């Protein structure tokens, strides 16, 4: 199916998260199925959720993005069904695909909620969509996907705006001394070498830095999991903070689209504690979330496939 084919529905595709304390372990079982994760690491992650109230805001935040997108499209006189499908929790991709099919959708724009592509952030979601379509058989809508948007001016503008929010919390003399650190989810180096993930992250960071008028910045990674003997992308944000040549850091989670648990725990709790331990003032920029520029970017992409 050509990317230019007109669509009659949109499926926002995300990771998903538990919405109540009693959903945390079943959710983690879904995420970790088939992966040999040590039990102590499993319980450690459960504790992360406990510290944050026993749930993740991911689903609510993604639904808010969908609602804001729907309203933005209506301003453009575009009324198109927008469903949300999650990979690891309800509403599951398969259920949302079935609902769109039952509503008569023939061609669906699959909008994967990840700006930077690797096998885990893109191809696995496409595989889940393919499985859902196979289960629907002849009733399955066709699915097309958007072009990369990590370098879209509106995404860059939204991220720069969020970084300015963090910079604005510093006194003017401190802003010039602050070190800008972009972060994204670490992945195995072998996976990174097989796709454009690092290249796209670097391009996004460079463009945001340019928008801010900041030429000197650095990149760090967070939320590593998996076999400790397998090489993953580095440096970790905690090590970056320990080795920082300044006492002021502005951390910009450019690789995440909403403030879910991996941002709230890994940055606001864990990295923030390291910053305090080494005497660094750390300000964390919000993720793009439902920033008007980001929603406008989504709406413009949807419009090209629907209008």
């Amino acid at each position: 199916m050509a990317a230019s084919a007109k669509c009659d529905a949109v499926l926002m595709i995300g990771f998903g998260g538990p919405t109540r304390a009693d959903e945390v372990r079943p959710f983690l079982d879904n995420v970790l199925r088939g992966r040999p994760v040590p039990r102590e690491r499993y319980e450690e992650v459960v504790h992360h959720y406990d510290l944050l109230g026993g749930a993740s805001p991911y689903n609510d935040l993604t639904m808010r993005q969908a609602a804001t997108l729907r309203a933005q499209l209506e301003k453009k006189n575009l009324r198109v069904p927008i469903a949300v499908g999650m990979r690891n929790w309800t509403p599951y991709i398969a259920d949302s695909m079935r609902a769109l099919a039952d509503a008569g959708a023939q061609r669906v724009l699959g909008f994967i909620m990840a700006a930077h592509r690797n096998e885990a952030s893109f191809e696995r979601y496409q595989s889940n969509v393919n499985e859902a379509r196979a289960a629907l058989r002849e009733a399955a809508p066709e699915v097309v996907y958007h072009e990369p948007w990590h370098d879209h001016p509106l995404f860059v503008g939204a991220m720069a705006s969020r970084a300015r929010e963090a910079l604005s919390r510093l006194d003017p003399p401190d802003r010039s001394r602050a070190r800008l650190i972009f972060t994204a989810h670490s992945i195995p180096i072998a996976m990174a070498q097989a796709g454009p993930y690092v290249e796209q992250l670097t391009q996004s960071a460079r463009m945001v830095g340019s928008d801010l008028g900041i030429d000197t910045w650095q990149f760090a990674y967070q939320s590593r999991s998996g076999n400790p003997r397998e090489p993953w992308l580095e440096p970790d944000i905690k090590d970056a903070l320990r080795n920082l040549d300044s006492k002021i850091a502005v951390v910009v989670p450019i690789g995440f689209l909403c403030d879910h648990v991996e941002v709230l725990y890994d940055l606001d709790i864990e990295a923030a504690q390291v910053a305090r331990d080494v005497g660094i003032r750390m300000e964390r920029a919000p993720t793009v979330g439902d920033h008007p520029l980001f929603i406008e970017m989504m709406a413009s992409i949807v419009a090209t496939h629907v209008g």
Side-chain angles (χ1 to χ4, degrees), residues 32-50:
L32 300 174
R33 186 172 291 114
R35 296 173 56 190
V37 175
R39 192 67 192 179
E40 58 270 21
R41 173 58 182 167
Y42 182 101
E43 295 300 332
E44 181 182 339
V45 175
V46 171
H47 181 58
H48 295 175
Y49 282 92
D50 289 342

Side-chain angles (χ1 to χ4, degrees), residues 66-102:
T68 312
L69 172 61
R70 193 175 293 111
Q72 185 66 21
L73 289 171
E74 288 178 357
K75 292 179 183 178
K76 300 176 182 289
N77 293 317
L78 288 173
R79 289 173 174 80
V80 59
I82 299 174
V84 174
M86 302 298 188
R87 191 163 178 264
N88 296 293
W89 203 244
T90 57
Y92 288 107
I93 291 170
D95 295 332
S96 297
M97 281 288 294
R98 185 176 299 108
L100 288 174
D102 290 345

Side-chain angles (χ1 to χ4, degrees), residues 12-17 57-69 82-86 111 113 257-258 260 289-290 295 298:
M12 289 173 53
I13 305 167
F15 191 81
Y58 185 97
N59 287 20
D60 285 345
L61 293 173
T62 304
M63 294 297 181
R64 186 185 306 170
Q65 289 170 322
T68 312
L69 172 61
I82 299 174
V84 174
M86 302 298 188
F111 199 107
M113 299 301 290
L257 300 185
C258 65
H260 54 74
D290 58 356
I295 299 301
M298 293 184 67

Side-chain angles (χ1 to χ4, degrees), residues 145 159 162 181 205 214 243 302:
Y145 295 95
M159 282 304 322
R162 294 305 199 198
I181 307 176
I214 297 175
N243 296 319
V302 171

Side-chain angles (χ1 to χ4, degrees), residues 110-122:
F111 199 107
I112 296 175
M113 299 301 290
H116 308 95
R117 298 188 177 187
N118 62 70
E119 188 268 334
S121 71
F122 211 80

Side-chain angles (χ1 to χ4, degrees), residues 205-232:
R206 185 183 300 115
M207 294 175 73
V208 171
S210 177
D211 191 301
L212 295 170
I214 297 175
D215 297 326
T216 303
W217 47 269
Q218 63 192 85
F219 216 101
Y221 295 92
Q222 61 174 90
S223 311
R224 173 185 172 144
S225 59
N227 188 336
R229 292 183 294 277
E230 183 180 15
W232 283 49

Side-chain angles (χ1 to χ4, degrees), residues 1-3 5-13 93 97 100 105-112 125-126 128-134 136 140-146 305:
M1 172 65 64
K6 298 305 178 183
C7 299
D8 53 12
V10 178
L11 178 65
M12 289 173 53
I13 305 167
I93 291 170
M97 281 288 294
L100 288 174
Q106 297 294 309
R107 288 182 296 276
V108 173
L109 173 62
F111 199 107
I112 296 175
Y125 292 93
Q126 291 178 318
N128 288 154
V129 169
N130 290 339
E131 291 170 2
R133 293 186 67 244
L136 290 169
E142 295 176 272
V143 179
V144 299
Y145 295 95
H146 49 80
H305 286 81

